[in-house]
Amino acid sequence: MRALSTHRRHPLAGVLVLLLGLVAVGGLYSALAPRTAQADSAGADAELVAAGRELYLVGCASCHGLNGQGILQSKSGQYGPSLIGVGAAAVDFQVGTGRMPMASNSQQAPRKEPFYDDAETEQLAAFVATEFGPGPAIPGSEYYDIADVSEEEVTRGGEFFLTNCTACHNAVGIGGALGGGRYAPSLEGVEGVHFAEAMITGPQSMPVFSDAVISPEDKRNIYAYLNEVQTQPASGGFALGGVGPVGEGLAGWVAGIGSLVVFAVWIGKHSVRARKP
Amino acid sequence: MSTRIETEGSSTASTKRSYGPLAGPTRWIDDRIGLAGLAKKQMRKVFPEHWSFMLGEIALYSFVVLLLSGVFLSLWFDPSMVEVEYQGAYAPWRGVHMSTAYASSLDLSFEVRGGLLMRQIHHWAATLFLAAMLVHMLRVFFTGAYRKPRETNWLVGLALLQLGIVEGFAGYSLPDDLLSGTGLRIAEGLMRSIPVVGTYISFFVFGGEFPGSDFIPRIYVAHVLLIPGILLGLITFHMLLLVYNKHTQWPGPGRTNDNVVGYPLLPVYMAKAGGFFFVVFGVTALMGALFQINPVWAFGPYDPSKVTAGSQPDWYMGWLDGALRMMPALEFTVFDWTFSLNVFLPGVALMGLLFGVLAAYPFVEQWVTGDKREHHLLQRPRNAPTRTAFGVAGITAYGLLWISGGNDIIATTFGVDFYTITRTLRILIFVAPVLAFIVTKRICIGLQRQSAETVLHGRESGIIMRSPDGAYSERHVPLAPEAAYALTAHDRPDVAALPPATDHNGVAAPHNRVQHARARLSRFWYADDRQKPTADELEQAHAHGHDDEPAPELDSAQEFQGVNELGLPRRH
């Protein structure tokens, strides 16, 4: 106790107390924060559509309706949108990237760990595509197989990307904000098939880029450019999140001016001492 | 004296030996330039010591780094808008048509040896240059170093800051990538928003319709020649005025308004400043080597039809961009002229307002306080609560504009709605500075009271004493006289009294309204301050025996009840 009371006016005491407080709050949060429960996987041996129906009735129908017609609310409009004519591509995108089922009712479904495994996603897609009317099918590998894309095609993809995609998704594909709590998500680590599905189906705020507008070949080129941008070595060092001048300004103030002020204090502290006569 | 004549007369060899090997060359130079007398005086010039006096040095040294790295860049950068087909090292844009300026920026980044490092050092140095100027200006503001006789240097510094911003923006625009073109588009919008003449200005500056092919070569000349030349001249003037006005110092024992206590330029500050130069150079080089800044290749060539999410200016223009983002639509047409006040007010008018207020502040303060004396001793921010509160209110507004400028990045990073941020900021921009002003002023006055109490009673020891009759009190450690002096070396400000309504002849006095306003402002400025303790107060406090170690501060229950919130007995 004596050590505590003698050191409580130490210049670093406040910092220490703050650190302890932060650690305690962080520890409590991680201990008490809610987590998702693990779900049992449905039997994969059943017939695709029948199995998909089972999954749909349990996991989707409460918002999208028993017949996929969607559920309307008198006050706030749609509770869940209609799934009529959305096709297998939309289901594979929304469920395969974990966007559906939504964790909470928010402006936009975020990408997260998928709730259903691949087989279940396939069953759901088959069910929606056969029962709720035809729609875009899951695109084939010609949309995203970039194994033998030439350099010129990458450049062409880059020009398409700059014209059509960067306005929302940012020049290096890290995403950007849209109005009303919506946003263009980051494109980092997006699988080719999901990339193609998003372009075809136009999920959430995204417009549809049909094959008549951008051919499958050009879609593949865009994906190749995206892949090139995201896999090329970070020339010039640590990219500071790739968010541009905001991150750079923060680094300039915190790391740059911050460290220089520390140096200035250090130099200012070390004075020549006046000798006593 | 006589020995010197003797040596001169007898032999030159012995002179050389006694004055060292440099005596010959230096005499040769001095015989022709004759600066020895001046140097002898200035080399021993005394500067006071404090870390905050080195903030301006950061700006100076980063400017040197900017000049050096800029010369390197100018050897390869080609500010031409001639369209070329890129065939350089960066594969994704090979075969794309672009301006020579952008192509040479790519070449500079990928093909010139050390080019990317130099580009990044140049850009980081620019970031630090402007940030250091701002920090230095805040130091000068909050310590009252701009007061007479340094108002001129305050204005020169302000001009340097403005020119620095223009210079930085010009550099940001030069590579002609998508980001810089977007920034230029906004600058063009600001020009056009000026009522009536805006369009003409824009056409004049850009040599026709935006973007045209004239602007990049024009701004290049401004960036490498015109503005750096003016900056260099103004920096020299800034430093000469610093030498002429002498440096301000913190109050302390032996330091008065009429002297400067510190160390001589040679050798102490030569060593310190030289060392600090290398530190600044080192930090800039380290940042250039480790942190990517403005990856022009990622943005692609500029095309007015394209834009990228997360388009922001560099930080020093961020507040202006933020004001534009925050402003509601306000536009009308009178006859055939469009008045885009939604662009003009946050863009052009706000810029004028900020720098106008900054330029006028020293003179307004002089007028309100009536303080026309020379000041060479700095004020602690707490001892000028109103000024400090104004400063913090300004920082608050600036910070909110910054947040607005990065609203999309903040929205995606923290998962907040973009519109909510903008709407909240629209309210906060009016409310928060006022709150910041009130809170800061209260904090300053609280700190003044704490200082006064420390002077009167000494420092709290944390030791609780119990007297024989059971009363508890905390022991105070008496303050060293030097510390007490430093805490009380500032002036006791005079609050201007309201002027009489009539003059001595009973006639209504002229200028009374102005005088009334001044008196009211003066009261607002000073009336709530806790003035430093008077000699009387000090004597009274010491009479209670605080200096005797074991004696408790308050020895009777009666006095304990009779203290006010400052811990001072009420009857004082």
Side-chain angles (χ1 to χ4, degrees):
Chain A
M1 280 321 282
R2 184 165 165 75
L4 262 182
S5 64
T6 48
H7 288 119
R8 70 196 174 106
R9 285 178 194 277
H10 192 272
L12 290 176
V15 180
L16 189 70
V17 169
L18 183 72
L19 265 176
L20 282 176
L22 285 173
V23 168
V25 170
L28 267 176
Y29 175 78
S30 61
L32 300 177
R35 291 191 191 87
T36 42
Q38 292 294 317
D40 296 329
S41 64
D45 47 48
E47 198 250 318
L48 281 180
V49 176
R53 183 193 306 280
E54 293 291 313
L55 289 170
Y56 180 83
L57 291 177
V58 173
C60 317
S62 62
C63 299
H64 291 291
L66 289 173
N67 299 311
Q69 79 279 25
I71 291 179
L72 292 175
Q73 279 185 325
S74 54
K75 278 182 187 167
S76 59
Q78 270 176 337
Y79 189 59
S82 162
L83 298 184
I84 290 166
V86 297
V91 178
D92 189 54
F93 175 80
Q94 301 282 0
V95 177
T97 59
R99 287 180 165 81
M100 288 288 148
M102 283 173 89
S104 64
N105 205 354
S106 61
Q107 293 296 328
Q108 187 167 326
R111 191 165 127 199
K112 60 179 191 293
E113 198 57 35
F115 188 75
Y116 296 105
D117 62 25
D118 288 351
E120 290 166 333
T121 308
E122 196 188 347
Q123 291 159 1
L124 274 171
F127 168 74
V128 170
T130 44
E131 296 286 314
F132 300 154
I138 297 173
S141 64
E142 72 272 18
Y143 284 85
Y144 54 85
D145 182 17
I146 54 170
D148 45 288
V149 173
S150 70
E151 202 175 82
E152 287 75 21
E153 284 170 328
V154 173
T155 303
R156 190 171 154 80
E159 293 190 90
F160 270 97
F161 186 77
L162 244 55
T163 311
N164 296 296
C165 315
T166 54
C168 298
H169 287 286
N170 171 286
V172 289
I174 58 156
L178 304 171
R182 289 178 291 271
Y183 56 91
S186 165
L187 302 179
E188 278 165 314
V190 172
E191 280 179 45
V193 64
H194 294 144
F195 161 83
E197 284 162 356
M199 290 201 74
I200 293 169
T201 62
Q204 308 193 21
S205 302
M206 183 162 161
V208 173
F209 293 93
S210 70
D211 287 352
V213 177
I214 296 179
S215 69
E217 200 190 359
D218 282 328
K219 288 194 173 92
R220 182 203 59 184
N221 294 343
I222 295 175
Y223 188 62
Y225 174 76
L226 195 59
N227 194 59
E228 164 76 29
V229 167
Q230 291 181 347
T231 53
Q232 70 187 8
S235 305
F238 180 55
L240 306 169
V243 293
V246 174
E248 293 161 5
L250 197 64
W253 275 90
V254 176
I257 289 295
S259 66
L260 287 173
V261 166
V262 169
F263 273 115
V265 172
W266 178 64
I267 293 174
K269 283 259 179 212
H270 287 73
S271 304
V272 268
R273 298 223 171 79
R275 283 196 197 86
K276 281 177 185 160
Chain B
M1 241 16 209
S2 61
T3 48
R4 191 168 154 259
I5 294 165
E6 248 180 43
T7 39
E8 264 182 7
S10 55
S11 90
T12 45
S14 71
T15 318
K16 267 179 193 163
R17 216 175 301 128
S18 59
Y19 288 99
L22 283 176
T26 43
R27 170 162 302 183
W28 189 92
I29 293 170
D30 191 47
D31 285 346
R32 282 148 188 86
I33 303 177
L35 285 176
L38 192 66
K40 198 172 170 185
K41 188 177 166 225
Q42 295 304 329
M43 285 296 176
R44 298 298 297 171
K45 191 168 179 68
V46 165
F47 287 93
E49 175 90 295
H50 194 260
W51 67 267
S52 68
F53 302 160
M54 278 187 273
L55 298 173
E57 279 179 51
I58 303 176
L60 181 66
Y61 302 147
S62 29
F63 185 70
V64 175
V65 176
L66 279 170
L67 287 181
L68 295 177
S69 54
V71 167
F72 181 92
L73 297 181
S74 70
L75 299 180
W76 281 279
F77 177 73
D78 184 359
S80 158
M81 289 300 277
V82 173
E83 193 174 310
V84 289
E85 194 186 312
Y86 180 67
Q87 289 298 348
Y90 186 68
W93 299 138
R94 225 171 270 159
V96 171
H97 288 257
M98 54 179 65
S99 67
T100 309
Y102 184 60
S104 67
S105 301
L106 289 180
D107 290 346
L108 195 50
S109 304
F110 291 110
E111 285 171 68
V112 175
R113 197 172 293 256
L116 182 57
L117 178 67
M118 280 306 208
R119 246 199 65 219
Q120 300 206 134
I121 288 178
H122 192 70
H123 206 137
W124 280 122
T127 306
L128 293 182
F129 176 55
L130 283 145
M133 280 205 278
L134 194 66
V135 176
H136 172 61
M137 194 187 83
L138 290 176
R139 193 279 292 177
V140 169
F141 180 82
F142 282 114
T143 58
Y146 56 80
R147 291 174 299 166
K148 189 181 172 185
R150 295 180 183 77
E151 307 99 318
T152 321
N153 228 7
W154 168 260
L155 294 179
V156 173
L158 211 53
L160 280 170
L161 180 65
Q162 283 165 281
L163 277 171
I165 290 173
V166 175
E167 176 72 347
F169 185 73
Y172 170 93
S173 306
L174 278 177
D176 199 34
D177 60 302
L178 189 53
L179 199 58
S180 65
T182 308
L184 269 187
R185 184 55 141 171
I186 294 171
E188 196 242 355
L190 295 187
M191 289 176 206
R192 286 195 180 205
S193 76
I194 300 169
V196 185
V197 294
T199 326
Y200 298 96
I201 293 179
S202 161
F203 269 64
F204 176 70
V205 169
F206 285 89
E209 191 63 71
F210 178 87
S213 56
D214 289 352
F215 191 68
I216 296 286
R218 284 179 183 177
I219 208 169
Y220 179 72
V221 173
H223 181 76
V224 304
L225 186 72
L226 182 67
I227 305 176
I230 304 174
L231 277 175
L232 207 57
L234 281 179
I235 289 173
T236 313
F237 186 46
H238 200 63
M239 310 276 288
L240 284 176
L241 269 179
L242 159 77
V243 170
Y244 176 72
N245 288 333
K246 301 179 186 60
H247 205 291
T248 49
Q249 59 186 348
W250 286 105
R255 298 178 191 170
T256 69
N257 214 21
D258 305 313
N259 68 4
V260 181
V261 179
Y263 301 110
L265 189 61
L266 194 82
V268 176
Y269 283 104
M270 282 300 193
K272 285 198 175 206
F276 198 40
F277 171 75
F278 287 111
V279 168
V280 173
F281 212 156
V283 167
T284 317
L286 216 55
M287 291 186 81
L290 296 179
F291 300 138
Q292 186 187 70
I293 188 164
N294 196 16
V296 284
W297 57 89
F299 300 117
Y302 181 56
D303 172 346
S305 69
K306 294 170 187 164
V307 72
T308 164
S311 289
Q312 255 93 14
D314 276 348
W315 74 260
Y316 43 86
M317 291 295 265
W319 65 284
L320 211 61
D321 196 37
L324 280 169
R325 289 175 186 220
M326 200 189 280
M327 183 75 186
L330 185 64
E331 189 177 87
F332 54 85
T333 309
V334 177
F335 300 112
D336 275 345
W337 292 307
T338 306
F339 290 83
S340 290
L341 295 186
N342 48 352
V343 181
F344 182 73
L345 291 183
V348 186
L350 186 70
M351 208 169 358
L353 180 76
L354 176 76
F355 289 109
V357 165
L358 284 174
Y361 188 83
F363 305 99
V364 172
E365 193 188 71
Q366 257 179 32
W367 177 73
V368 171
T369 60
D371 184 354
K372 312 261 186 215
R373 290 164 299 160
E374 286 208 358
H375 291 280
H376 301 282
L377 287 177
L378 294 170
Q379 282 178 309
R380 294 176 92 191
R382 69 179 62 172
N383 288 330
T386 306
R387 176 205 298 147
T388 307
F390 271 129
V392 174
I395 291 176
T396 308
Y398 193 92
L400 289 172
L401 292 173
W402 251 359
I403 290 175
S404 174
N407 57 4
D408 54 335
I409 305 290
I410 289 167
T412 48
T413 308
F414 298 104
V416 202
D417 174 21
F418 185 69
Y419 291 159
T420 311
I421 297 177
T422 304
R423 287 195 199 105
T424 313
L425 288 175
R426 279 177 184 173
I427 298 166
L428 280 183
I429 194 71
F430 294 106
V431 177
V434 178
L435 285 180
F437 182 92
I438 297 168
V439 169
T440 310
K441 197 164 173 183
R442 292 320 302 178
I443 290 174
C444 283
I445 293 169
L447 287 171
Q448 282 187 327
R449 290 178 176 179
Q450 193 241 0
S451 296
E453 206 187 346
T454 311
V455 170
L456 290 175
H457 301 280
R459 217 159 247 130
E460 290 172 7
S461 65
I463 298 166
I464 307 294
M465 295 281 288
R466 188 182 170 199
S467 69
D469 50 345
Y472 287 96
S473 60
E474 187 177 6
R475 262 174 64 184
H476 283 68
V477 181
L479 211 56
E482 298 82 26
Y485 178 82
L487 282 179
T488 50
H490 54 278
D491 297 327
R492 206 183 296 276
D494 310 316
V495 183
L498 278 177
T502 52
D503 63 16
H504 57 277
N505 291 326
V507 182
H511 308 306
N512 240 1
R513 203 168 294 165
V514 178
Q515 291 302 316
H516 265 278
R518 220 202 101 205
R520 264 193 294 274
L521 275 173
S522 165
R523 207 181 308 162
F524 164 73
W525 222 267
Y526 286 138
D528 297 327
D529 289 13
R530 165 71 170 108
Q531 305 292 3
K532 65 179 179 185
T534 58
D536 220 28
E537 275 179 314
L538 203 63
E539 242 164 60
Q540 295 270 21
H542 284 192
H544 289 295
H546 302 289
D547 292 342
D548 316 359
E549 291 224 322
E553 183 202 348
L554 300 159
D555 44 347
S556 76
Q558 184 214 345
E559 269 191 342
F560 192 71
Q561 285 164 352
V563 293
N564 65 14
E565 70 273 22
L566 296 175
L568 300 171
R570 288 204 191 280
R571 62 169 187 264
H572 289 178

